[in-house]
Amino acid sequence: MIAPDLQERLRAVRHLVVFTGAGMSAESGIPTFRDRAKGLWAKVDPAEVATPHAFKKNPQFVWDWHVHLADAVSRARPNEGHAAVARLQEFVPRVTVITQNIDNLHQAAGSRTVIELHGNLMRLKAFVDVDELFSGDASPVICRICNGYAIDDELDPYAGPEDLAAIELHAGSVPHCPACGALLRPDVVWFGEPLDPGMLDDAFLAAETCDALICIGTSLEVEPAATLPWRALNRGALVIEVNPVSTQLSQSASASLSGGAAATLPLLLQSVWGSVAR
Ligand code: OAD
């Protein structure tokens, strides 16, 4: 499966980054984005459901689409690939998982350090309309429980974080923050929005200082996440790709393993560390 010299280098790795995309969770029943027939973006234009502009125009439509996705996510369980990623912690002193997925499955499988570059579908936050925020005369204050903005005397002083925590992503009208009244939205990164800068710095640093990076189930179509394997390669790290199809990385990677995550990752662990998947 993997050349003996690469196996040896992997056994010596002190800091391993595992970088994942939608293909990681495909065998858990969550559709990928760009599969030509069944991918999420084959069924709907992302501009209609995954941008701040779309939410501003039709919040209910965007909310309902995320509720539908959350249905698949809440039914999904980690697959053998997620389990294998978590088992890497038994063999490598430091493992950092950097995921573009918003489904919580790495954490559910037991991975302890997970950077969620594109957020988490099950968390909510206030929708901040940046144009409106800077257009009015009154100076807005930041709502203490949702980080949205409000005019001071609009804030409900009796609402607390527990009221916000009780609100979940489920079917029905788009909920509002109990303190400031802002519309709530899933805490995911939509097109045109920046990634959390602290998280992005951590991800860049991990990729640029690790000894090896395993890139699993991503088409590498979306920046800045897609730069991570190249950042690792440029610093001399070993880069292994796992994907049933080849990508722009395949030719440059130290090894490119063609196959699905659920079958390939346990085999990789077995061939390098003699681990049998549980
Ligand atoms: P894509 O849908 O673009 O790519 C999924 C990749 O997974 C493809 O390269 C497939 O070949 C591969 N794949 C499919 N089945 C697999 C399996 N069983 N095992 C391993 N790999 C498999 O998804 P991402 O690359 O994750 O952004 O997309 C990146 C971002 O684009 C997403 O995070 C999302 C999307 O728009 C946001 O929501 C911000």
Side-chain angles (χ1 to χ4, degrees), residues 20-24 26-27 32-35 41 46 50 100-102 118 188-191 216-222 242-247 259-262:
T20 66
M24 180 83 232
E27 289 155 280
T32 65
F33 292 93
R34 293 178 180 80
D35 180 275
W41 299 154
Q100 297 165 89
N101 299 342
I102 54 179
H118 292 169
V188 296
V189 176
W190 286 332
F191 287 96
I216 308 163
T218 172
S219 62
L220 298 168
E221 295 275 334
V222 175
V242 176
N243 199 312
V245 306
S246 56
T247 70

Side-chain angles (χ1 to χ4, degrees), residues 1-261:
M1 130 156 299
I2 190 162
D5 61 316
L6 291 185
Q7 292 187 22
E8 210 162 298
R9 278 183 68 187
L10 275 171
R11 278 192 289 270
V13 160
R14 312 283 306 162
H15 181 198
L16 174 68
V17 167
V18 179
F19 172 51
T20 66
M24 180 83 232
S25 301
E27 289 155 280
S28 294
I30 303 174
T32 65
F33 292 93
R34 293 178 180 80
D35 180 275
R36 282 219 186 101
K38 290 184 275 172
L40 293 170
W41 299 154
K43 297 186 175 146
V44 65
D45 180 351
E48 297 295 320
V49 292
T51 65
H53 180 72
F55 189 80
K56 187 173 169 180
K57 196 173 81 182
N58 193 344
Q60 193 63 53
F61 183 73
V62 173
W63 178 264
D64 292 345
W65 184 82
H66 284 83
V67 168
H68 186 67
L69 178 59
D71 238 32
V73 168
S74 58
R75 274 184 274 115
R77 295 290 166 267
N79 63 50
E80 291 297 319
H82 293 102
V85 169
R87 288 208 72 200
L88 285 166
Q89 296 168 144
E90 296 171 21
F91 307 111
V92 182
R94 183 172 166 213
V95 178
T96 305
V97 176
I98 305 175
T99 189
Q100 297 165 89
N101 299 342
I102 54 179
D103 56 25
N104 228 34
L105 291 181
H106 282 299
Q107 294 91 327
S111 285
R112 291 188 290 271
T113 305
V114 182
I115 299 178
E116 295 178 307
L117 273 186
H118 292 169
N120 188 307
L121 182 62
M122 296 309 181
R123 235 178 11 235
L124 298 179
K125 66 177 184 181
F127 173 66
V128 175
D129 180 349
V130 179
D131 300 336
E132 193 183 310
L133 176 59
F134 294 110
S135 68
D137 296 335
S139 43
V141 294
I142 301 299
C143 169
R144 68 192 178 281
I145 71 168
C146 76
N147 281 330
Y149 63 93
I151 306 305
D152 213 1
D153 59 7
E154 285 174 350
L155 280 171
D156 177 350
Y158 300 108
E162 63 288 352
D163 299 309
L164 181 64
I167 303 174
E168 291 176 346
L169 181 73
H170 54 56
S173 311
V174 186
H176 293 259
C177 169
C180 72
L183 278 176
L184 296 176
R185 53 163 280 188
D187 189 359
V188 296
V189 176
W190 286 332
F191 287 96
E193 293 186 312
L195 275 63
D196 178 282
M199 229 177 246
L200 191 57
D201 283 350
D202 290 349
F204 283 169
L205 183 66
E208 287 164 5
T209 54
C210 68
D211 315 302
L213 179 148
I214 308 180
C215 177
I216 308 163
T218 172
S219 62
L220 298 168
E221 295 275 334
V222 175
E223 305 258 346
T227 65
L228 290 169
W230 305 101
R231 287 170 187 271
L233 267 180
N234 291 342
R235 298 294 178 112
L238 199 64
V239 172
I240 314 274
E241 182 180 48
V242 176
N243 199 312
V245 306
S246 56
T247 70
Q248 45 160 317
L249 178 69
S250 309
Q251 289 297 318
S252 311
S254 322
S256 198
L257 308 180
S258 172

